[in-house]
Amino acid sequence: MNRLLADLRIVELSAFVAAPLGGMTMAQFGAEVIRIDPIGGGIDFNRWPVTKDGASLYWAGMNKAKRSVALALDKPEGREVAQAIATAPGPGAGIVLTNLPPLPGLDYASLKAKRGDVILLRLIGNRDGSAAVDYTVNAASGFPMVTGPTSEGGGAPVNNVLPAWDIASGLYLATSLLAAERHRARTGEGQEVVAALADVMLAAVGHLGYVGDVCINGRARPAIGNDLYGSFGRDFATADGRRVMIIALTPRQWRALGRVTGLTDKLAMIGEMMEVDLDTETGRYEARAAIAALVARWCAGKTLAEITAAFSGSGVLWGPFQDFVELVRNDPRCSPANPLFATVEQPGIGRYPMPGLPLEFSASPREPTRPAPRLGEHTDQVLAEVLGLSGREIARLHDTGIAVGPPGQ
């Protein structure tokens, strides 16, 4: 975390991945991010993974460093309070981030009527307004058809469990927030920014060349398992039952692979026999099956530890396959030695390593990672500090069920 955006206040009405990630990214840059949820929590408050007591590790992970307000959003007065928080005065305030259907009073027209320079960033599913989530968008992207077994294997589509489009959309939201705020700082004008999850997917497919491949070449990328499309790369089994991914994108990496494995001369013979230039990515891709046969035999005769020792510092581009347990317990990049992580006491869950901002800024030193708030933890503070309500007014909101603090408060 740092304090580069400490002069911004963002009100977040969100659920699941994209908008919460966008808001958390801003919070980790030091912005004041106030997440407003319905009393009892939103639809993602108990999302898996959860502890044995049912506390959501997902919710804790997506809401670090935010402030939490719990309001009766199903009641007009609750929405009025949320609207007042969203449009409260202040040069860095008046910014709203959401991926939820607009509630009465919290749509752009209503917010703009209360604050003319308000910025509303809104994520929708499809451009036409119909619903979509990461899994449905990814199903249409073409990637599941080339993920998993090869075309010859006849495998079914595989929908990646990584919510890539949600993550990309969340970071797009964070970027667009800064762009809209910069525009407002120059001109005094607010605006509504609308992003469609499906458009984020379509843009990425186009950026990666797959739209052009179909339109210009009349073809589509095939399903080739774990082979690297257009170059050499594949997974290989080790003598002790592990698997490693080995890549040769550049001539330097290709030469290093031959040198470390002792296969330089045999690999050169493949190029001669197949009449391809193995110093090019295209040549290595065309000869990938023959190359892999030699590399597979070398890997099969060595344990993961022996391969690690051989490849360490050699210039070979590679990495082991590992599950989440191995990543957390054994990978040094996930250890306390990495300043990305800090051991944090998360209320209701306990102490465990939490990642902060995965960036380093020389002008702003890293600050300790702050945990996610308890639901409604900052309700009274926000009502007092942002809206200037008196203790009696806040008590009335509690008594009428419009606002609540955390359980036990």
Side-chain angles (χ1 to χ4, degrees):
M1 293 184 59
N2 57 46
R3 304 297 297 168
L4 289 174
L5 299 180
D7 58 340
L8 295 185
R9 178 192 297 146
I10 300 154
V11 173
E12 177 189 320
L13 297 123
S14 70
F16 298 123
V17 178
L21 176 63
M24 187 185 68
T25 300
M26 296 294 97
Q28 292 188 318
F29 277 122
E32 177 190 8
V33 178
I34 301 171
R35 174 164 172 165
I36 300 178
D37 280 292
I39 293 172
I43 54 178
D44 63 341
F45 185 57
N46 297 308
R47 196 180 194 206
W48 282 34
V50 297
T51 68
K52 63 181 180 180
D53 297 322
S56 173
L57 291 158
Y58 157 83
W59 200 89
M62 278 289 175
N63 293 288
K64 293 186 288 291
K66 298 177 186 177
R67 305 177 85 185
S68 174
V69 172
L71 298 172
L73 296 175
D74 58 339
K75 298 178 181 179
E77 187 175 5
R79 295 192 294 271
E80 289 172 6
V81 174
Q83 182 192 73
I85 295 171
T87 58
I95 304 172
V96 182
L97 171 64
T98 186
N99 63 341
L100 300 178
L103 293 169
L106 293 169
D107 59 285
Y108 181 62
S110 299
L111 295 171
K112 184 176 174 62
K114 293 292 184 180
R115 177 168 176 155
D117 66 347
V118 72
I119 296 171
L120 174 63
L121 300 110
R122 189 161 59 90
L123 180 68
I124 60 176
N126 292 301
R127 180 175 282 269
D128 63 5
S130 58
V133 295
D134 188 280
Y135 253 43
T136 60
V137 165
N138 192 56
S141 71
F143 286 107
M145 307 303 295
V146 296
T147 301
T150 62
S151 302
E152 293 77 12
V158 176
N159 232 355
N160 196 339
V161 298
L162 174 71
W165 310 123
D166 274 342
I167 292 172
S169 296
L171 298 177
Y172 265 120
L173 287 172
T175 305
S176 62
L177 187 155
L178 295 176
E181 200 279 329
R182 183 171 172 80
H183 173 79
R184 186 175 70 175
R186 289 197 307 265
T187 67
E189 298 176 352
Q191 60 183 301
E192 181 179 26
V193 180
V194 181
L197 187 69
D199 283 354
V200 172
M201 174 273 288
L202 292 168
V205 173
H207 297 335
L208 292 169
Y210 296 126
V211 171
D213 201 17
V214 173
C215 295
I216 301 300
N217 298 324
R219 68 187 184 196
R221 170 182 172 157
I224 53 175
N226 280 336
D227 278 11
L228 180 62
Y229 186 51
S231 190
F232 177 74
R234 183 176 288 191
D235 62 310
F236 298 94
T238 68
D240 52 349
R242 298 294 300 274
R243 299 195 78 83
V244 297
M245 190 73 191
I246 299 175
I247 305 288
L249 287 172
T250 68
R252 180 175 178 273
Q253 293 164 356
W254 172 244
R255 291 191 293 270
L257 178 61
R259 181 178 66 254
V260 174
T261 60
L263 296 173
T264 297
D265 292 341
K266 292 181 179 179
L267 292 171
M269 292 174 61
I270 290 175
E272 295 173 1
M273 290 187 294
M274 298 187 65
E275 298 182 341
V276 295
D277 184 359
L278 296 183
D279 283 333
T280 67
E281 289 191 88
T282 297
R284 294 192 291 274
Y285 180 71
E286 292 178 356
R288 66 189 184 280
I291 296 170
L294 290 176
V295 177
R297 185 174 180 181
W298 183 86
C299 290
K302 292 179 172 51
T303 65
L304 177 60
E306 291 171 332
I307 291 175
T308 301
F311 286 168
S312 181
S314 68
V316 175
L317 184 60
W318 78 289
F321 283 83
Q322 57 190 15
D323 59 25
F324 291 125
V325 173
E326 292 164 330
L327 170 66
V328 173
R329 293 181 177 173
N330 302 330
D331 195 318
R333 294 170 294 188
C334 198
S335 74
N338 186 344
L340 172 68
F341 288 94
T343 300
V344 175
E345 179 69 35
Q346 176 61 47
I349 292 179
R351 291 177 61 82
Y352 63 100
M354 281 189 173
L357 192 68
L359 299 166
E360 297 282 353
F361 289 81
S362 61
S364 184
R366 181 184 293 272
E367 295 187 2
T369 298
R370 299 202 307 271
R374 294 176 294 165
L375 184 67
E377 179 177 344
H378 304 99
T379 297
D380 291 3
Q381 292 178 11
V382 170
L383 294 176
E385 296 170 7
V386 176
L387 299 187
L389 299 186
S390 67
R392 178 171 294 186
E393 291 170 315
I394 294 172
R396 184 191 66 80
L397 293 174
H398 280 276
D399 292 341
T400 56
I402 297 300
V404 300
Q409 176 174 300

